[in-house]
Amino acid sequence: MLTARTALSRRVIAALDASPSRIPVLLGGCGSGRTTMLQQVRERLGRTAVQYIDVERTATTPERFLRAITAVSPFPVADSSASTPAGARPAFDAALGFFGRVRSAASEPATFLLDEFLELRTFESFPGLRRVQHDFVEGLSSSSNRFVLTSRYTARALRLLRDRSARFEVIHMPALTTEDSLDILGPTAAGDAHDADYLARTVQSLADGRPAYVRALADELGTMREHGGPGGGDAISALAALLAPEGRLAKQCAFSYELRLHRARGYGALKAILEILAEDEGLTLTEISHRLQRTPGSTKDYLSWLEDVDLVTSRQKRYSFADPLLRLWVRLHCRPTPPVDEEVGREVQQYALTRVPKPEPAPALAYAGIDATLEERKSWGIIEID
């Protein structure tokens, strides 16, 4: 396990072990490592002492959700043979009661890992559940059981938890460091320590420190070097291959793009704004509205909806993509025809120019001494006269 991730899992477990226990809420974009962290916490605590629930996959109707979480629970469930309560609200109340009151086999507080907890919003369309998310967090905060929550929607989670119980501890998933990236690269970075460090810094910068992107680059680099791929297996060539129409990161970015847009309002106008920001970042509201050919008022609404699903971010009233690699994907793939290899290579090169760190001279060369300096001068034909 990576050192930084070990520290993060320890922080989560420390929150669970506090008295009273705190409720960690892990927030981060797609591919930031939230689910992986939950699985690591599950392994540390023991599978029989913890129940992991993928809310996104099980939140269909309240009745089916209740049956799903109780059927596979490692905790004793009273009256397990009883029928599910009739009606959406009674079924949700029963699920909330299960989370709040169930105990482990040793009569100790149960621990639940709830992945993508905001997907409970699905239940809002059922009678009596307009405030389902608020009811849920209030129910958890009053329970003596232990919980860890995650969500890919940072803005929505922060808004929901604002002014809530102090038990909720928001933890933003950190970007991977150069050392983390070096660990993931593994044998791919074997060899000269200076070259390995530069490769790790390059991969970390190109991937914006996102674990899923770093992992994809590491895997592609390994494959390219194993088979003698184009560019000798350099990180920029690997990124170009991953962003080709059938590439791994092209598919991953497409999934994130569509998922977030479908969770927002104004689908068509939002896509247009993303294309505008893909062409030029750091635009103001006025500049975007002019290019969109919509009023500033309407454009402001559209931008707030994009911020609500963490697709764009605003700094000093200038808007840009929250995920720089997703911006590159939009430039490449939101067009009438798929990009050809030359176009992918050109766009990736331009992206890399703004992010890849400049190589530093190897220490052995920087301090080689006078003889090396004289030799370099000779090779360039430079003569100094005192």
Side-chain angles (χ1 to χ4, degrees):
M1 190 188 302
L2 301 175
T3 302
R5 299 289 154 165
T6 302
L8 185 58
S9 67
R10 287 174 179 167
R11 178 181 174 184
V12 171
I13 293 194
L16 295 175
D17 289 340
S19 183
S21 65
R22 299 189 298 278
I23 302 176
V25 184
L26 306 178
L27 302 179
C30 297
S32 60
R34 303 177 315 279
T35 300
T36 300
M37 180 53 56
L38 287 188
Q39 299 296 354
Q40 290 171 356
V41 170
R42 184 186 185 191
E43 292 300 325
R44 290 193 63 174
L45 294 178
R47 289 176 172 266
T48 59
V50 176
Q51 182 170 0
Y52 168 83
I53 297 173
D54 186 340
V55 178
E56 187 173 32
R57 294 289 176 262
T58 52
T60 53
T61 67
E63 296 89 339
R64 294 183 64 84
F65 179 69
L66 174 62
R67 287 197 296 269
I69 62 176
T70 55
V72 298
S73 178
F75 310 123
V77 180
D79 299 324
S80 58
S81 60
S83 61
T84 302
R89 183 73 218 194
F92 175 75
D93 289 340
L96 200 54
F98 168 74
F99 286 130
R101 293 188 293 271
V102 74
R103 289 293 183 268
S104 69
S107 298
E108 296 178 346
T111 301
F112 292 95
L113 310 178
L114 301 171
D115 208 356
E116 295 299 337
F117 80 103
L118 288 185
E119 293 304 315
L120 289 172
R121 185 180 183 180
T122 304
F123 298 155
E124 289 181 351
S125 60
F126 294 94
L129 291 175
R130 292 291 297 172
R131 289 177 49 83
V132 63
Q133 292 181 332
H134 297 85
D135 294 344
F136 180 73
V137 297
E138 288 171 4
L140 298 195
S141 64
S142 62
S143 169
S144 59
N145 281 337
R146 310 193 304 176
F147 305 92
V148 183
L149 314 178
T150 78
S151 178
R152 61 168 65 92
Y153 300 108
T154 300
R156 289 182 174 180
L158 293 178
R159 187 167 60 249
L160 174 65
L161 298 175
R162 188 182 301 139
D163 302 325
R164 296 289 170 181
S165 168
R167 283 189 68 190
F168 292 99
E169 179 179 341
V170 172
I171 301 175
H172 295 276
M173 295 298 295
L176 294 183
T177 64
T178 299
E179 291 74 19
D180 296 332
S181 301
L182 189 59
D183 287 341
I184 291 177
L185 285 166
T188 304
D192 180 76
H194 181 265
D195 292 342
D197 179 73
Y198 180 68
L199 176 62
R201 289 191 294 122
T202 299
V203 168
Q204 192 272 345
S205 298
L206 291 175
D208 197 38
R210 297 173 185 248
Y213 296 168
V214 171
R215 173 63 66 187
L217 279 167
D219 291 346
E220 184 65 23
L221 278 167
T223 301
M224 292 173 69
R225 292 185 176 184
E226 181 181 345
H227 296 92
D234 66 277
I236 297 175
S237 297
L239 182 58
L242 290 166
L243 285 171
E246 296 301 317
R248 175 172 164 184
L249 284 186
K251 295 177 181 178
Q252 188 169 336
C253 287
F255 168 79
S256 177
Y257 175 81
E258 292 294 345
L259 176 70
R260 292 180 182 276
L261 280 178
H262 280 291
R263 291 294 193 278
R265 300 162 60 190
Y267 182 78
L270 301 193
K271 289 177 68 176
I273 290 178
L274 291 176
E275 290 176 13
I276 290 170
L277 291 177
E279 295 169 0
D280 292 296
E281 277 201 303
L283 298 178
T284 64
L285 167 63
T286 301
E287 291 168 333
I288 295 171
S289 66
H290 177 72
R291 298 188 188 193
L292 188 64
Q293 296 180 304
R294 294 293 185 273
T295 65
S298 296
T299 304
K300 186 175 181 180
D301 287 339
Y302 295 144
L303 286 166
S304 70
W305 298 339
L306 286 169
E307 288 181 295
D308 186 49
V309 292
D310 305 296
L311 276 169
V312 303
T313 183
S314 172
R315 293 184 179 88
Q316 297 180 333
K317 298 183 179 181
R318 292 187 175 275
Y319 294 87
S320 57
F321 273 75
D323 180 349
L325 206 57
L326 184 61
R327 176 180 182 245
L328 176 58
W329 177 85
V330 171
R331 287 179 62 87
L332 284 168
H333 295 277
C334 291
R335 53 171 69 184
T337 57
V340 297
D341 291 345
E342 291 78 9
E343 292 172 318
V344 174
R346 183 172 60 251
E347 288 287 349
V348 169
Q349 285 284 353
Q350 292 176 353
Y351 170 79
L353 283 174
T354 65
R355 303 190 67 86
V356 173
K358 295 182 179 179
E360 298 176 358
L365 294 177
Y367 302 100
I370 295 175
D371 293 342
T373 303
L374 290 175
E375 187 66 28
E376 181 182 0
R377 289 174 180 168
K378 289 179 184 178
S379 67
W380 285 93
I382 299 174
I383 302 175
E384 287 190 0
I385 302 175
D386 293 330

